[in-house]
Amino acid sequence: MAIIIRNMQYKILHFINSNNIPHDVKAQMLELVRNVYDDNTAAQFIKELKNNLYEYIEVFDDTNLIALAGLMNSGLDFDIWEFAWAMVREDYRGKGVGKLLNDERIKIIKQYGGKKVLCVTQKTWHLTRNGFRIVHTFANGDNLMVCEI
């Protein structure tokens, strides 16, 4: 699917099964994780990708991956979902791409019949704009956030 934000056209892909992600796209995913985080986080990401833990939303400009985010059913109940892994390439931040990732994940979760979305994060501003609220702050500074959709 293609979408235009602020006069920029982006292509959005949704991978339900990480085993179906083409190898060149996986390489771009890994490079994005390394650029946003570090090699240790990239190693954890590889493990999760191999274990097919998440569905992924990926945003591309002409040919390059510029953002990705994960989602999964929480296992707590059929209508409770979780957000995981949200990252936008630095040169695309502030252009609405992060909100696009959240909007797409929420749209998909609604299609699945989801009613609530959970997320644990230290950065809350990017989720509050999608209706998330903090329900608990842990001792390490992480916040448990929830959104009823």
Side-chain angles (χ1 to χ4, degrees):
M1 168 178 60
I3 189 165
I4 297 175
I5 302 175
R6 299 179 188 166
N7 296 321
M8 293 289 297
Q9 183 169 332
Y10 302 108
K11 181 171 71 171
I12 303 167
L13 298 178
H14 174 207
F15 290 99
I16 296 171
N17 183 326
S18 61
N19 295 321
N20 295 332
I21 300 172
H23 293 291
D24 62 320
V25 174
K26 283 183 181 179
Q28 288 187 57
M29 292 170 74
L30 187 56
E31 185 63 26
L32 180 60
V33 174
R34 280 194 181 103
N35 288 338
V36 172
Y37 295 102
D38 56 33
D39 287 338
N40 291 334
T41 305
Q44 179 62 36
F45 183 82
I46 290 169
K47 288 179 190 174
E48 293 177 6
L49 196 60
K50 285 180 181 176
N51 290 327
N52 201 27
L53 294 177
Y54 303 110
E55 296 183 25
Y56 290 96
I57 302 299
E58 299 177 354
V59 181
F60 293 82
D61 60 10
D62 292 330
T63 57
N64 299 308
L65 178 69
I66 61 165
L68 72 86
L71 64 146
M72 68 180 287
N73 184 269
S74 73
L76 296 171
D77 204 346
F78 72 94
D79 63 353
I80 300 175
W81 285 74
E82 296 178 29
F83 275 6
W85 293 113
M87 62 198 84
V88 177
R89 214 170 75 185
E90 190 170 353
D91 52 332
Y92 282 87
R93 293 181 191 159
K95 298 181 180 183
V97 176
K99 184 168 185 325
L100 173 65
L101 285 173
N102 290 341
D103 290 345
E104 284 298 310
R105 291 189 288 180
I106 289 170
K107 181 176 86 176
I108 289 166
I109 291 168
K110 283 181 179 179
Q111 290 171 350
Y112 287 152
K115 302 291 183 207
K116 293 180 187 73
V117 183
L118 308 175
C119 186
V120 175
T121 185
Q122 291 188 350
K123 300 174 184 175
T124 60
W125 67 269
H126 68 289
L127 293 171
T128 55
R129 64 187 176 187
N130 287 93
F132 281 80
R133 60 183 166 68
I134 298 171
V135 293
H136 182 77
T137 301
F138 298 98
N140 70 350
D142 285 348
N143 298 288
L144 173 61
M145 301 185 76
V146 66
C147 177
E148 297 187 36
I149 54 176

